[in-house]
Amino acid sequence: MLAIGCHISSAGGFEAMGKRALSLGATTFAYFTRNPRGGSAKKADSADAQALVELMGQNGFGRLVAHAPYTMNLCSAKPDVRDFARRAMAEDLQTMELVAGNYYNFHPGSHVGQGAQEGIRLIADGLNACLEPGQSTCVLLETMAGKGTEVGRTFEELAQIIELVDHDECLGVCLDTCHVSDAGYDISASLDDVLCDFDRVLGLSRLKALHLNDSKNPVGSHKDRHERLGLGHLGLDCFAAILRDERTKNLPMILETPNEPQGYAAEIVALRALADGADTTMTMASLATARDE
Ligand code: FE
Ligand code: FE
Ligand code: ZN
């Protein structure tokens, strides 16, 4: 079964998240490892984690794609902010070993005027401080839209970070469709060109997960405003291509579209239909009906 899911509230712990995901028809999900505004993580319960592992096994789930708080900045100009980011990441990775073998996705960071090169150096330093040889969690760098001073707006920047990390065997990339389009990669015009470029610069073996979001803005806008599937500049054809391409169809796919849970459930149904070869115009019509209900 394809691993398709969405962002889920972390309220109630691991097993509660798994049940919530199941109720939406999801076979993977994302969650914030701690409050996105920072702060400390709740103490994790290993029996609860084990219950989630069992639920995932029984229901054919793909790997989870946990999300670090988006305020975490490994390349801040302020040492205390960098320090917090490192501590949060190290702690999150320890907790994730309770649900071994999943993904931990993070935004590389914003260089806040220090320059992309300095940002890349600081991010790699931070990763070198956090990654442990032999850890079962693969850490994913997310492709960024290039808003403000974000690092990771090009595949080259991500490749430079990876090159500087010692334990690069636990590093991968999560491609966000809204972000890459906003960054200037015309994924809706040619998925093939973008994937070939990814392969040339990073190698396709680094591509571990996808964030499926439509974009409110045209290609190259550097805005990072997510839209619901089919209602933005990417369109359902772009997602149909991703679901039918050998290079992407088996990756965990996470929706981060502006939706309530029922909106996510409708998009998950639509994505599964597209994967099965459904016509995009008809799928768009059923999606519109489901959204109105
Ligand atoms: Fe993200
Ligand atoms: Fe994303
Ligand atoms: Zn985004």
Side-chain angles (χ1 to χ4, degrees):
M1 184 152 33
L2 296 183
I4 302 178
C6 58
H7 203 97
I8 296 271
S9 151
S10 63
F14 286 115
E15 190 184 19
M17 289 193 286
K19 287 183 173 162
R20 216 171 281 134
L22 264 186
S23 75
L24 300 177
T27 43
T28 177
F29 62 90
Y31 64 98
F32 282 123
T33 52
R34 60 184 66 219
N35 185 314
R37 287 277 137 211
S40 57
K42 268 182 250 130
K43 189 92 189 78
D45 171 344
S46 66
D48 181 34
Q50 195 46 42
L52 172 62
V53 170
E54 277 162 31
L55 177 148
M56 288 171 63
Q58 285 157 2
N59 293 282
F61 272 46
R63 291 183 197 223
L64 305 179
V65 192
H67 201 304
Y70 49 75
T71 45
M72 185 174 106
N73 189 6
L74 280 179
C75 64
S76 167
K78 296 182 187 147
D80 58 318
V81 176
R82 292 201 298 269
D83 208 57
F84 166 75
R86 288 182 185 201
R87 269 185 292 121
M89 182 179 281
E91 208 178 280
D92 284 354
L93 288 174
Q94 241 176 40
T95 305
M96 282 202 69
E97 288 301 309
L98 294 175
V99 285
N102 289 292
Y103 294 132
Y104 178 74
N105 171 72
F106 78 108
H107 294 182
S110 291
H111 66 67
V112 291
Q114 303 172 94
Q117 284 313 309
E118 180 63 1
I120 286 164
R121 190 187 67 79
L122 287 170
I123 294 161
D125 273 5
L127 287 168
N128 279 326
C130 295
L131 299 186
E132 301 275 359
Q135 71 179 50
S136 74
T137 304
C138 184
V139 174
L140 308 184
L141 298 148
E142 182 167 349
T143 60
M144 300 312 292
K147 189 170 49 131
T149 64
E150 279 172 352
V151 180
R153 53 163 65 200
T154 63
F155 298 155
E156 282 78 3
E157 287 185 355
L158 296 174
Q160 285 180 49
I161 296 168
I162 293 172
E163 216 159 275
L164 294 171
V165 174
D166 299 327
H167 294 293
D168 68 337
E169 69 279 4
C170 24
L171 272 188
V173 173
C174 173
L175 186 147
D176 184 309
T177 53
C178 167
H179 296 179
V180 287
S181 170
D182 280 20
Y185 294 95
D186 204 348
I187 193 169
S188 68
S190 176
L191 174 67
D192 184 58
D193 284 350
V194 175
L195 291 178
C196 286
D197 207 20
F198 188 103
D199 192 33
R200 183 178 54 78
V201 177
L202 282 154
L204 272 176
S205 62
R206 293 279 182 201
L207 183 57
K208 304 291 192 193
L210 302 170
H211 284 172
L212 299 188
N213 303 307
D214 212 323
S215 177
K216 284 194 196 291
N217 296 288
V219 65
S221 60
H222 304 299
K223 289 270 188 11
D224 190 4
R225 300 273 317 278
H226 301 187
E227 180 53 284
R228 290 178 289 165
L229 300 189
L231 301 177
H233 285 260
L234 298 186
L236 277 196
D237 285 316
C238 174
F239 299 103
I242 289 170
L243 289 155
R244 295 168 191 173
D245 194 296
E246 289 300 328
R247 295 165 291 184
T248 43
K249 69 182 198 187
N250 295 313
L251 301 171
M253 303 182 196
I254 305 292
L255 292 161
E256 301 173 309
T257 44
N259 267 312
E260 296 299 315
Q262 286 322 305
Y264 280 136
E267 290 189 348
I268 291 168
V269 168
L271 289 170
R272 294 201 193 282
L274 289 174
D276 287 340
D279 172 77
T280 47
T281 311
M282 277 168 58
T283 308
M284 195 63 212
S286 352
L287 197 48
T289 312
R291 280 171 176 152
D292 281 345
E293 273 166 9

